[in-house]
Every structure is written in structure tokens, then in C-alpha cells.
Amino acid sequence: MATTSTSTPASTSTSTPKYNLRNPLPLSATQEQEVKKIFHKRVRAHCAEEIKAFAQCAVNRTVTATWVCRDQRLTMNSCMLAHAKPEEEDRAREEWFATHEERRREKEEESRRVEQRRAEIIRMMREDEARSKKR
């Protein structure tokens, strides 16, 4: 039994990507926040019509929106509760892991561009100083 369990992780670790989407490592607070953002975006996308109906009803209303738009609010909330399930959160987490490498590459590319621009500015400043000294 111990040999079966030790051979399984070794075979899966060689054939799977860096992140195991079904049982990932604990994420940092910032990463969890990004997952939650994806999760909420997905839930809002499912309930876009209900949210729009409530928003249209609540236009130019403050306190009275609570009882005037009660039906729209209840419809919107029930839709969001129906779609805000752990399965949807798992899908959001899988999406976060799937796009993690792409986001990391974009961040590195942005850093590289910033460093290039910084080097260019330093070069221009040195040239300007050299011209000022010649005068």
C-alpha cells in the first residue's frame, strides 16, 4: 500500500504542470484576493440581467429603493446565491492558475520596458550633463 502511494505522486509530478489545479498550494492573501475578484466577476456575469434590472429600478432612489425595488433585489440576490457556489470558486481558482504564467510574463515584460526606459533616461541625462559642461 505504501509503494502505491509513493509511486503515484512521482508519476503525476512529471506529467503535470507546476501547479496542481485540484489541490493547489495555499495562496497568499493577495493571490486569494485575485481569485475572489475572478469569482465575483463570474457570478456577476451570470446575473447581469438581474443586476441591470435592479440598477434601473434603483436609479434616483436612495432609501426608498429598499422597498420599491424589493422584487428586483430579491431576484438579483437569489440569482447571485444560486451561482456563488464552491464549484464556481473552484473554476475561478483554476482560471487564476491557468493564467498565472501569462500574468507573470506580462509583469516581467513591463519591468523590462521600465528598465529600458530608465536606462534611456539616464543616458539622456548624462549626455545633457556632458553638453552643459562643454559650454
Side-chain angles (χ1 to χ4, degrees):
M1 183 120 179
T3 58
T4 307
S5 64
T6 56
S7 64
T8 305
S11 64
T12 57
S13 65
T14 58
S15 63
T16 59
K18 183 177 178 183
Y19 294 107
N20 180 355
L21 300 180
R22 294 291 172 201
N23 189 16
L25 297 172
L27 299 176
S28 69
T30 305
Q31 292 168 333
E32 280 294 338
Q33 190 176 18
E34 291 172 0
V35 170
K36 287 288 188 190
K37 201 178 287 185
I38 294 170
F39 169 68
H40 292 299
K41 181 180 176 183
R42 292 173 65 98
V43 171
R44 285 191 304 267
H46 285 295
C47 302
E49 291 299 318
E50 291 83 354
I51 293 170
K52 186 176 180 180
F54 175 72
Q56 286 175 343
C57 177
V59 168
N60 295 327
R61 291 190 173 101
T62 55
V63 177
T64 59
T66 302
W67 59 86
V68 172
C69 304
R70 183 172 193 262
D71 293 336
Q72 292 89 342
R73 179 178 51 85
L74 292 175
T75 304
M76 177 186 71
N77 286 345
S78 63
C79 176
M80 293 179 84
L81 286 173
H83 288 94
K85 300 286 184 195
E87 297 83 27
E88 192 65 36
E89 192 169 356
D90 290 342
R91 284 189 210 103
R93 182 169 275 109
E94 288 176 8
E95 181 180 332
W96 185 89
F97 276 104
T99 60
H100 177 71
E101 287 300 315
E102 180 182 329
R103 287 191 314 275
R104 185 187 60 75
R105 276 193 302 274
E106 287 173 1
K107 208 178 284 185
E108 286 176 357
E109 179 65 25
E110 181 64 26
S111 281
R112 189 183 61 74
R113 284 193 301 254
V114 166
E115 286 302 318
Q116 283 179 339
R117 182 66 180 148
R118 184 175 292 140
E120 182 182 345
I121 289 171
I122 290 171
R123 181 187 53 79
M124 290 169 57
M125 288 173 62
R126 287 184 179 154
E127 289 174 359
D128 192 41
E129 284 177 4
R131 277 188 294 229
S132 296
K133 287 181 182 179
K134 287 182 182 179
R135 291 184 190 177

